[in-house]
Each structure stands twice: as C-alpha cells, then as structure tokens.
Amino acid sequence: MRLRNVKNAHEDLKKSLYFIENPKGNKGKWQEVFQNENPIHLEIGMGKGQFLINMAKTYPQINFIGMEKFASVLIRAAKKIEEEKLSNIRFICEDAKNIEDFFEQEITTLYLNFSDPWPKTRHAKRRLTSPEFLKSYDNIFLKDNHIIQKTDNILLFAYSLEELSKAGYTLEKVSLDLANTDIFNIKTEYEEKFSSLGYKINYVEATKKKKI
C-alpha cells in the first residue's frame, strides 16, 4: 500500500505535547519523562495509534511509548492522542534500527504488531525478529526480555519463532488463530480490517531471562 505524504507532518508533530523530538536525550531517563516509576512498554511501528491508545486506556498504571518512522502516519496518531489527553503515552518518529540510541535497560514489554515481513531473503536482516534486531533488544529491557508479536504473515511468523528460539527465548504463548483463543487482545487498525476479511492472526509471547 502506497503511503500518502502529509505536508509539514514532521513540523506539526513538534506541536504535540506527547511527541519527543529528541529521544536520544532521554536514553536511560524515560521515567523522568513520565514523572513516575511505572513500567514502560514500547511498540515498534505504532501506525495510526489505535493499539497504543486503547492499551493506555486499559492500563493507566503502565507507560506506553510508540515508535513510528513515517511522520505522515504518525501525525494521524498524534491527533488522536491529543483528543484523548492520555498522560501515559509518548511517541517518537524514529527508525527501529537505531533503537539502542534511545533506550537503555528501561523497557518492560516490546510489541511488534504487523511488522513489515520483508519477504525477500536478501532483506532478512530488516525483519524486526532478525538476529540483529533481537541482539539490539537485549540492551533495552529493564529485567527479563518480553516480546509480544502479532502478524498475519505465516512465513514471518515461522521465521520469528525460529529466531526467538535460537536467541534463547521461551515461547510462552503461541497461536495460529488469535481470535479463537482466550488471550486478551486489543486490535490494531490493520488487524481489525484483515480479521474482518477472514485472515487468521498469528500470536507469540516470548520471554528470555536476563543474564546476571
């Protein structure tokens, strides 16, 4: 799907109280941003923000950070967040490949919702569950690593299960049809659309003990 450009999107993002323009400056200090000691959850590829907003409403005792590299998408989420006036959300416009520049031992849970599958073998390193990305995540978690992934792409899902296992993760919950489980689930915009068309959603919750 072609991404429609939004004129002055990045400049408009700067006007939002919830937008963090220089996330590098908050590395290791995100609890100061939220002004509390609540757990911090991060979503990579937050899109238009539906998942993050509804999670923040459901869990006011958790702080949520959304990362999205496309300003034209993020500006839509910004408007929704402004309307909701949720104090436990912040968002950044950055590429996940630089994630270690923004966080250091402070994230409790990482969400990977409907990430780009990068189907070509030569692009495998760009997948958010590639060995390269999984290694970088080791440095952002506060305690044990905790990743939750949802995808409708079965090939990406199979790849993710294999790479998570290789990286030392325990697969706590795995489903090839999330809708037919009792797992609590808040849907993304994409998920609502494709679930209504009959697509099955794959789900995995994976943990890894932090080395002492």
Side-chain angles (χ1 to χ4, degrees):
M1 183 174 69
R2 186 176 180 180
L3 180 66
R4 185 170 69 86
N5 184 56
V6 176
K7 187 178 180 180
N8 300 323
H10 203 278
E11 290 303 312
D12 287 341
L13 284 175
K14 295 179 183 179
K15 300 174 185 177
S16 173
L17 297 174
Y18 304 93
F19 176 60
I20 305 299
E21 185 178 359
N22 179 29
K24 289 183 180 180
N26 294 310
K27 181 178 179 179
K29 300 183 292 185
W30 282 96
Q31 285 189 327
E32 295 179 19
V33 173
F34 289 101
Q35 298 183 351
N36 60 53
E37 297 184 355
N38 293 341
I40 300 174
H41 291 195
L42 171 67
E43 181 186 14
I44 295 179
M46 68 176 283
K48 298 177 184 178
Q50 177 172 299
F51 172 81
L52 207 68
I53 289 170
N54 286 330
M55 286 291 285
K57 288 180 178 180
T58 305
Y59 300 104
Q61 74 281 13
I62 296 174
N63 298 319
F64 293 90
I65 300 173
M67 177 186 290
E68 173 60 55
K69 67 178 179 179
F70 297 113
S72 292
V73 174
L74 193 53
I75 192 62
R76 295 176 171 85
K79 292 177 181 178
K80 294 178 184 178
I81 294 169
E82 293 284 353
E83 292 172 0
E84 296 288 348
K85 295 180 172 60
L86 295 166
S87 62
N88 59 332
I89 286 186
R90 297 293 186 277
F91 55 89
I92 64 178
C93 189
E94 299 288 349
D95 194 314
K97 67 182 181 180
N98 302 316
I99 195 168
E100 290 181 87
D101 293 339
F102 314 129
F103 307 103
E104 183 176 25
Q105 297 181 3
E106 50 200 327
I107 302 301
T108 302
T109 297
L110 175 64
Y111 302 101
L112 305 177
N113 292 324
F114 303 94
S115 311
D116 192 328
W118 293 105
K120 295 182 180 179
T121 302
R122 68 175 183 272
H123 293 153
K125 289 184 179 181
R126 300 183 186 182
R127 298 169 190 161
L128 294 183
T129 49
S130 69
E132 291 79 9
F133 271 103
L134 292 179
K135 184 177 180 181
S136 68
Y137 301 152
D138 285 341
N139 299 315
I140 73 169
F141 284 106
L142 175 63
K143 295 180 179 178
D144 295 342
N145 296 20
H146 184 215
I147 295 176
I148 296 176
Q149 181 190 36
K150 292 193 289 185
T151 178
D152 61 323
N153 188 295
I154 191 63
L155 295 180
L156 173 62
F157 192 60
Y159 172 88
S160 297
L161 296 183
E162 181 177 0
E163 295 303 330
L164 286 164
S165 297
K166 286 181 180 178
Y169 282 80
T170 299
L171 307 182
E172 304 285 355
K173 297 178 182 178
V174 179
S175 174
L176 298 177
D177 187 5
L178 178 58
N180 287 315
T181 71
D182 59 0
I183 297 171
F184 178 74
N185 181 42
I186 288 179
K187 294 181 179 181
T188 70
E189 295 94 339
Y190 180 98
E191 185 176 0
E192 282 188 346
K193 176 181 177 180
F194 283 87
S195 293
S196 69
L197 295 174
Y199 286 75
K200 291 184 178 180
I201 306 303
N202 307 293
Y203 174 98
V204 61
E205 181 173 353
T207 59
K208 182 171 76 169
K209 295 292 184 182
K210 186 177 286 290
K211 294 180 179 179
I212 301 175

